[in-house]
Amino acid sequence: MGYELDAGVELSDIGDGAFGADLGAGWKVGGGLNGGYLLAVLGNAVRERLPEKPDVLAISAHYLSATVAGAATVSTRVVRDGGRIGTVAAELDQEGDTRITALVSCGDLASASGEVVTTAEMPTMPSVEDCLPGSLAPEELRRASPLLDRVDIRLDPAHAEWVLGKPSGRGVIQGWFRLADGREPDPLSLLLTVDAFPPVTFDLGLGGWAPTVALSVHLRAVPAPGWLQVRVSTRNVAGGMFEEDAEVWDETGRLVAQSRQLALLPRD
Amino acid sequence: MGYELDAGVELSDIGDGAFGADLGAGWKVGGGLNGGYLLAVLGNAVRERLPEKPDVLAISAHYLSATVAGAATVSTRVVRDGGRIGTVAAELDQEGDTRITALVSCGDLASASGEVVTTAEMPTMPSVEDCLPGSLAPEELRRASPLLDRVDIRLDPAHAEWVLGKPSGRGVIQGWFRLADGREPDPLSLLLTVDAFPPVTFDLGLGGWAPTVALSVHLRAVPAPGWLQVRVSTRNVAGGMFEEDAEVWDETGRLVAQSRQLALLPRD
């Protein structure tokens, strides 16, 4: 029996660097499929092209239009493969339109130097049991966003006052994350994790779906099994857009992923 | 009489979305041309393709090999042009090799909403006169890096103890920036600004050239004329790589650019 994410990123090789995908409706959130899930689909296609560099080190995706459930094609082109890092251009097309265009630089995280110098501090948050599970989300929201059933997110109540209609204005949401079916984290699943939390604009009192313009993710280490801790923050809302940073730590306290996106403010 | 940066990004249209460039040796720093200068070259080519969306909103560049002074070709392909945002794929080739591949989403910053909600704080630093000019850099360094003569950088001495061989270990460098020939900042020149400071690893005691793997920049507002303030920081060195974030404020105190790069640690 396989895991949902592994089934969700499955591809069939259709030649010339292109792959067919059947994108699952279970990864829908608001108006389209989750942008992080789609990064994992792209990452999986790239891995087929550069099997000796199995891990995404840096992926930069620009989102052109909402991707929906169903058939899609991922086209890939190896731009350069040499030394420790290879770079692939990948595009996801659906119904004749390019939905996402991305650049992916890959390598082997397991073989990387083990030395770590960090001033990044893990967020402090209550235990998993003392955080708010997504299963408390309103029935209507859960129906529109089946992604909420694929992921097990536990929100730190100190950063979830927006749930009660009292956004803090700080622009920070944090909590625990794991895949609902028990699949352990790996570099591929981290691509989903960085974009799976509620939009950080909820903590600014701005509801609604915030379409991503561009999202870049750095994977910094292979995550240990277990829960992940995620902190999502924004510092600047301007010109109808905001940036959203996510950081992901594993159970050993290691910073395993950093992401930044530019998104459009929700329109009422 | 034109300005150096404008001459440095000049292109000749050679048809089919491709442009010829003559990259100036004056933008060299260490082993190749400055990555921020090259972003400005790419941004200028993209502007030729989408003149009604004149400003880069988000650019994601992956650097494949060092670009050198001399002839280069920038190839562009409009991936989508619709609504407020257009997206272009651009590649810089030289001597038959792709040096940089990039995705660029463009719009019109001047027409964007004026509302700003920000928790980002401008760095506090001494006045321009009380900071350390790049002209104090050793003659040998200045010869290897003529970029230092194109830009006027004044380092905050409180974050420049590495100059005296005493890196603070905090991973922060900050200071004032303007173009040396008096050209005022605009969205295009901000692409240079985010990558013009010394590598932040100097403040960790790691000297040498740090090759960029991937660099993403968000331009958030049209900068006011005058000096810019820049803060460059890193929080995590791991796996032989580090991330470097830059933030740029204009004289009115507005956050005008945010960037993040993944770079390889300098090798001794």
Side-chain angles (χ1 to χ4, degrees), chain A residues 2 14 16 26 30 39 42 66 73 79-80 113 133 140 144 146 154 165 169 171 178 197 216 237 263:
Chain A
I14 55 179
D16 285 334
L39 285 191
L42 292 168
T73 305
V79 184
R80 183 170 192 266
S113 149
E140 184 192 6
R154 310 292 179 96
R178 68 175 179 187
F197 271 59
S216 65
V237 179

Side-chain angles (χ1 to χ4, degrees), chain A residues 57-58 60 62 64 77 79-80 84-85 87 91 98 101-105 112-113 115-121 213-214 216 218 220 234-243 245 247 254-255 258-262 264 267, chain B residues 57-58 60 62 64 77 79-80 84-85 87 91 98 101-105 112-113 115-121 213-214 216 218 220 234-243 245 247 254-255 258-262 264 267:
Chain A
L57 302 178
S60 310
H62 289 231
L64 311 178
R77 176 174 60 92
V79 184
R80 183 170 192 266
R84 287 188 292 159
I85 297 179
T87 298
E91 290 195 347
T98 301
T101 180
L103 298 169
V104 192
S105 289
S113 149
E115 197 187 351
V116 176
V117 180
T118 192
T119 61
E121 288 180 20
V213 174
S216 65
H218 300 168
R220 307 301 306 275
T234 186
R235 298 169 66 231
N236 192 58
V237 179
M241 296 187 285
F242 65 99
E243 101 284 7
D245 288 359
E247 294 194 321
R254 184 140 189 206
L255 180 61
Q258 292 172 294
S259 74
R260 172 169 290 172
Q261 67 175 276
L262 185 68
L264 298 174
R267 301 205 209 188
Chain B
L57 303 177
S60 309
H62 289 230
L64 311 178
R77 175 173 60 91
V79 185
R80 183 168 191 266
R84 290 187 291 158
I85 298 179
T87 299
E91 290 195 347
T98 300
T101 180
L103 298 169
V104 192
S105 289
S113 151
E115 197 188 350
V116 177
V117 181
T118 191
T119 60
E121 288 179 21
V213 175
S216 64
H218 301 168
R220 306 302 305 275
T234 187
R235 299 169 66 233
N236 193 58
V237 179
M241 297 187 285
F242 64 100
E243 100 285 8
D245 288 358
E247 295 194 320
R254 186 143 186 202
L255 180 60
Q258 293 172 294
S259 74
R260 170 168 292 172
Q261 67 175 273
L262 185 69
L264 298 175
R267 303 204 208 189

Side-chain angles (χ1 to χ4, degrees), chain A residues 3-82:
Chain A
Y3 292 111
E4 289 178 319
L5 182 61
D6 299 307
V9 301
E10 255 180 33
L11 299 167
S12 57
D13 190 334
I14 55 179
D16 285 334
F19 301 88
D22 182 22
L23 305 174
W27 304 97
K28 188 165 167 269
V29 58
L33 298 183
N34 173 262
Y37 159 65
L38 296 168
L39 285 191
V41 173
L42 292 168
N44 197 35
V46 167
R47 188 161 50 178
E48 293 286 323
R49 297 301 306 277
L50 298 178
E52 288 171 16
K53 300 185 173 72
D55 301 316
V56 171
L57 302 178
I59 181 168
S60 310
H62 289 231
Y63 293 77
L64 311 178
S65 55
T67 302
V68 297
T73 305
V74 179
S75 309
T76 62
R77 176 174 60 92
V78 176
V79 184
R80 183 170 192 266
D81 182 20

Side-chain angles (χ1 to χ4, degrees), chain A residues 151-164:
Chain A
V151 297
D152 189 353
I153 287 176
R154 310 292 179 96
L155 294 177
D156 178 351
H159 291 273
E161 292 149 320
W162 50 269
V163 169
L164 305 169

